[in-house]
Amino acid sequence: HVQLVESGGGSVQAGGSLRLSCASSGCTYSNYCMGWFRQAPGKEREGVAAIYGGITTYYDDSVKGRFTISQDNAKPMLYLQMNALKPEDTAMYYCAADPCDYLSWGGGKADFAYWGQGTQVTVS
């Protein structure tokens, strides 16, 4: 049974940084695709970043150059380093996992099987 628990959210001023973490159990990162998604009030969920095979990364255009996804297979932990935050980054952020053989990011519309409960990020 895969479980994902996010942490690291909070309130920050525009231009600041946060690092989100996702602790997982029941999955081995070498065999899973991992991703971060977000959903703002009144908006659809959108893909932020994903990592496949520990090497291949995908980013939404809105976060390229500002956010970095990474993983630590040994712990295992998934991270999202967020720099130069903007008010439009305000959302609930979710960690997701999928036992994929290949990640079809699809512009952030990849379908992941397992989800965490989310951590709130507020940028003012």
Side-chain angles (χ1 to χ4, degrees), residues 9 15-16 24 31 36-37 41 48 51 57-59 63 69 86-87 92 95 99 110 120 123:
S24 66
N31 298 326
W36 288 98
F37 292 75
V48 176
I51 186 166
T57 56
Y58 303 85
Y59 294 94
V63 306
I69 188 170
K86 304 175 181 180
M92 185 72 78
C95 172
Q120 178 67 38
V123 185

Side-chain angles (χ1 to χ4, degrees), residues 8-20 66-67 81-91 93 120-124:
S11 297
V12 64
Q13 290 187 338
S17 299
L18 284 173
R19 188 176 82 153
L20 304 184
R66 300 188 298 123
F67 290 12
Q81 178 66 44
M82 305 186 295
N83 299 327
L85 283 161
K86 304 175 181 180
E88 50 264 44
D89 295 318
T90 295
Y93 283 71
Q120 178 67 38
V121 172
T122 302
V123 185
S124 60

Side-chain angles (χ1 to χ4, degrees), residues 36-39 44-49 60 62 88 91 105 108:
W36 288 98
F37 292 75
R38 66 187 180 187
Q39 187 167 20
E44 292 186 353
R45 185 192 70 193
E46 62 178 2
V48 176
D60 185 75
S62 65
E88 50 264 44
W105 182 232

Side-chain angles (χ1 to χ4, degrees), residues 4-122:
L4 305 170
V5 180
E6 304 94 334
S7 62
S11 297
V12 64
Q13 290 187 338
S17 299
L18 284 173
R19 188 176 82 153
L20 304 184
S21 299
C22 174
S24 66
S25 61
C27 66
T28 303
Y29 283 1
S30 59
N31 298 326
Y32 276 72
C33 295
M34 304 297 298
W36 288 98
F37 292 75
R38 66 187 180 187
Q39 187 167 20
K43 295 187 177 181
E44 292 186 353
R45 185 192 70 193
E46 62 178 2
V48 176
I51 186 166
Y52 164 67
I55 298 174
T56 304
T57 56
Y58 303 85
Y59 294 94
D60 185 75
D61 287 344
S62 65
V63 306
K64 283 181 181 177
R66 300 188 298 123
F67 290 12
T68 303
I69 188 170
S70 62
Q71 64 187 47
D72 184 333
N73 291 347
K75 291 186 177 181
M77 293 287 286
L78 180 73
Y79 303 102
L80 184 69
Q81 178 66 44
M82 305 186 295
N83 299 327
L85 283 161
K86 304 175 181 180
E88 50 264 44
D89 295 318
T90 295
M92 185 72 78
Y93 283 71
Y94 298 92
C95 172
D98 190 80
C100 67
D101 295 319
Y102 170 78
L103 176 59
S104 177
W105 182 232
K109 297 188 182 300
D111 187 15
F112 284 67
Y114 303 100
W115 295 84
Q117 295 299 308
T119 185
Q120 178 67 38
V121 172
T122 302

